[in-house]
Amino acid sequence: MRIREASPFDIPVLLDMLRHYRKLTPLPFLAEADDAEYVTKMLTELMSGKGLVLVAEHEDVVGMLIAGISPSIWSPKHFLLTEMAYWVEPESRGGTAGYRLLAEYKRKGQELKEKGRICNFFISKMSNSPNLQYQKFGFDKLEEFWVA
């Protein structure tokens, strides 16, 4: 199992994984959201420096972690790296893909902090996600948010 930064050649499999992710998410509007052109553009921008797209690969790509860099609402000088989607295909769960994606995200986030590109980085957990212990990776719980 290896973790690497995604390339444009990975976009078709990333789109497939995002569709799998969408089917299991508890947000109803996502059932209608399937704009591959928009998502392809967003992924391309993230890969070219506006974020981070990691893939877990074991012969085939089996997982992904997608995050974007944007300015803080409080200051245009303070940029944040925010995870948007973290997914491992069901048949690859229980192995090391999820752990390795998270560990690499933590490493890359710390590297971006040290270079001064971001001031913080975030990971989220949906209500239907496995109970991962983000504290073990050095994350502190900041908030919970609710949807209506």
Side-chain angles (χ1 to χ4, degrees):
M1 177 72 53
R2 77 179 183 124
I3 307 302
R4 63 175 174 79
E5 290 192 36
S7 78
F9 295 108
D10 295 307
I11 288 177
V13 72
L14 289 167
L15 290 172
D16 283 343
M17 282 194 293
L18 284 167
R19 287 183 187 106
H20 300 163
Y21 174 90
R22 182 184 70 202
K23 284 181 186 176
L24 294 178
T25 188
L27 293 172
F29 84 89
L30 287 180
E32 304 165 10
D34 193 16
D35 188 338
E37 183 178 332
Y38 168 76
V39 176
T40 296
K41 182 180 176 201
M42 180 199 60
L43 289 169
T44 303
E45 289 175 359
L46 294 172
M47 288 177 200
S48 63
K50 290 188 175 182
L52 182 61
V53 182
L54 299 173
V55 293
E57 186 174 54
H58 179 70
E59 295 180 27
D60 294 321
V61 174
V62 299
M64 66 181 179
L65 196 152
I66 300 170
I69 297 174
S70 60
S72 163
I73 190 172
W74 304 108
S75 166
K77 297 176 184 177
H78 295 90
F79 285 79
L80 308 171
L81 177 66
T82 305
E83 172 261 329
M84 301 169 167
Y86 176 27
W87 176 261
V88 174
E89 293 287 14
E91 60 274 8
S92 296
R93 294 179 187 167
T96 62
Y99 171 86
R100 289 175 187 233
L101 280 166
L102 189 55
E104 183 65 5
Y105 178 65
K106 172 71 186 218
R107 191 186 73 73
K108 293 277 191 182
Q110 195 60 44
E111 185 178 289
L112 289 168
K113 277 180 79 170
E114 290 167 6
K115 290 180 178 178
R117 288 223 31 231
I118 63 170
C119 60
N120 290 98
F121 54 104
F122 299 89
I123 188 86
S124 63
K125 182 171 123 16
M126 283 199 181
S127 60
N128 63 340
S129 295
N131 190 22
L132 300 173
Q133 301 299 313
Y134 293 135
Q135 304 90 321
K136 291 182 180 181
F137 289 87
F139 290 94
D140 294 318
K141 187 174 182 179
L142 177 63
E143 66 181 15
E144 293 183 43
F145 63 91
W146 306 80
V147 65

